[in-house]
Amino acid sequence: MNIIVSGSLAYDRIMDFPGHFSDHILPEKIHVLNVSFTVNGMKEKFGGTAGNIAYGLSLLGEKPAIVATIGRDYHAYFEWLVKNNMARDNIKVIEGEFTASAYITTDQADNQITGFNPGAMKHPSSFSFSNIVPENCIAIVAPGNLEDMAKYSAKYQSLGIDYIFDPGQSLPMWDGQDLVRSIKGSRILISNDYELEMIIAKTGLDKQKLLQLTGAIITTLGELGSCIRSRNGETEIPAVKPRQVVDPTGAGDAYRAGLIKGLVQRKSVEQSARMGSVIASFAVECYGTQEYSFSMAEFEARLDGSEM
């Protein structure tokens, strides 16, 4: 089955400040703030919603079409994709922009200051559906270029392609009616609990009314697992306990990869969500969103609960 993953590609540039931000910010001068923090160094990680989801799927033996834009500094990311058997054919290079980048500085109290440059993500990816067979395709619309998100949702609806709508961190930019149009006809609407409340507030629709637009609502709840709501009721999916929690960033995208793999295998939404919980447990054990790995034997052991 063909898998289309649209969203973002980004570099996460992570820095550690060997002190506390509060020691260098004078409260009485906050209105004329001008500070500089010397960091210990910088680590560059590969990220972005499309990249993260595709990475998880690659570990499960899939090679989805990554539909996104990337900037003129694409070389390192493309090398990473090739190394991990991930497709790059449908990634559009925007020569006049840098790749979307998050610059994250963390102090010793775990306070963070982040600067984000959307860069190439400001441009649509312009994917062609000419060779797509709708009956043999599943897609996810993950946070990325807003025009892409609305356009691809509409295209999947018109072609009859099963798709997961995942507005996530793009929600502040959405108009309520546009959000309704993109949710309508989706197989699954997925978000965390805070984002679901934002969706309800923006659309003016409660959970029952949202279920008139989509086949199911999946709400991720971090260490509490996830909840699946359908017209038949609610199902709680427990989280899979990781060996250690190092970095929860990217666990949601890993969950989506497992969910999609299950759906590709014609499993139920509940069974697929359990697969998502397994991959999320591997993701939180590593620092970075595309740093974890596992064998299929390790995945199966954690899925059936036999891992010791």
Side-chain angles (χ1 to χ4, degrees):
M1 180 175 283
N2 293 318
I3 304 170
I4 303 173
V5 178
S6 64
S8 62
L9 294 173
Y11 290 115
D12 295 331
R13 294 176 171 121
I14 304 164
M15 296 160 279
D16 293 319
F17 175 61
H20 296 84
F21 295 142
S22 58
D23 294 337
H24 302 269
I25 298 175
L26 301 175
E28 67 276 11
K29 296 292 184 180
I30 198 74
H31 62 292
V32 287
L33 186 65
N34 187 353
V35 294
S36 176
F37 300 105
T38 300
V39 299
N40 284 333
M42 183 175 75
K43 297 177 182 176
E44 183 175 86
K45 303 290 185 181
F46 301 101
T49 56
N52 294 343
I53 296 168
Y55 176 79
L57 283 163
S58 74
L59 294 178
L60 292 170
E62 299 291 345
K63 195 170 184 177
I66 301 173
V67 178
T69 53
I70 197 166
R72 61 177 180 262
D73 52 343
Y74 64 87
H75 303 86
Y77 212 131
F78 274 18
E79 289 174 7
W80 174 255
L81 295 176
V82 171
K83 179 181 177 181
N84 289 279
N85 195 35
M86 297 158 70
R88 56 180 183 176
D89 315 56
N90 297 291
I91 299 171
K92 183 178 180 181
V93 178
I94 308 297
E95 292 289 357
E97 299 275 6
F98 287 106
T99 301
S101 302
Y103 297 83
I104 307 162
T105 305
T106 306
D107 74 0
Q108 291 183 330
D110 286 332
N111 296 305
Q112 289 187 331
I113 296 174
T114 300
F116 181 71
N117 170 35
M121 199 178 78
K122 294 181 293 187
H123 301 264
S125 54
S126 308
F127 180 69
S128 171
F129 291 87
S130 58
N131 296 318
I132 296 298
V133 178
E135 299 79 17
N136 191 40
C137 184
I138 188 169
I140 182 167
V141 178
N145 176 272
L146 204 63
E147 181 181 334
D148 278 350
M149 295 180 72
K151 179 180 177 181
Y152 294 150
S153 296
K155 193 68 176 179
Y156 298 142
Q157 292 165 20
S158 66
L159 293 175
I161 293 174
D162 277 350
Y163 74 100
I164 299 166
F165 186 62
D166 173 23
Q169 59 264 41
S170 73
L171 276 167
M173 298 182 288
W174 282 86
D175 168 82
Q177 289 305 307
D178 289 338
L179 200 54
V180 168
R181 279 189 282 270
S182 290
I183 295 170
K184 187 176 183 179
S186 61
R187 180 171 179 180
I188 296 170
L189 168 64
I190 188 168
S191 68
N192 62 32
D193 51 344
Y194 178 77
E195 292 161 353
L196 180 58
E197 292 304 318
M198 287 186 68
I199 292 169
I200 290 170
K202 278 184 170 284
T203 62
L205 302 175
D206 61 21
K207 295 168 189 174
Q208 290 305 313
K209 289 181 179 177
L210 286 171
L211 281 172
Q212 296 174 17
L213 303 177
T214 185
I217 299 172
I218 296 181
T219 309
T220 56
L221 304 166
E223 63 183 12
L224 299 178
S226 56
C227 176
I228 302 172
R229 295 179 178 86
S230 70
R231 293 163 198 173
N232 297 322
E234 295 188 7
T235 304
E236 301 291 336
I237 305 297
V240 173
K241 188 175 181 179
R243 292 179 177 177
Q244 60 179 342
V245 176
V246 175
D247 180 13
T249 309
D253 289 333
Y255 179 101
R256 286 149 173 79
L259 174 70
I260 293 168
K261 177 64 175 183
L263 296 175
V264 166
Q265 294 178 326
R266 310 294 184 183
K267 297 183 184 294
S268 68
V269 175
E270 290 78 11
Q271 291 172 315
S272 302
R274 294 182 193 279
M275 293 175 66
S277 292
V278 171
I279 302 188
S281 73
F282 284 107
V284 302
E285 294 173 348
C286 298
Y287 192 69
T289 58
Q290 296 181 37
E291 300 296 319
Y292 64 98
S293 64
F294 53 80
S295 67
M296 287 309 300
E298 290 170 327
F299 174 82
E300 293 294 343
R302 204 169 282 195
L303 180 62
D304 65 25
S306 63
E307 181 187 75
M308 300 299 292

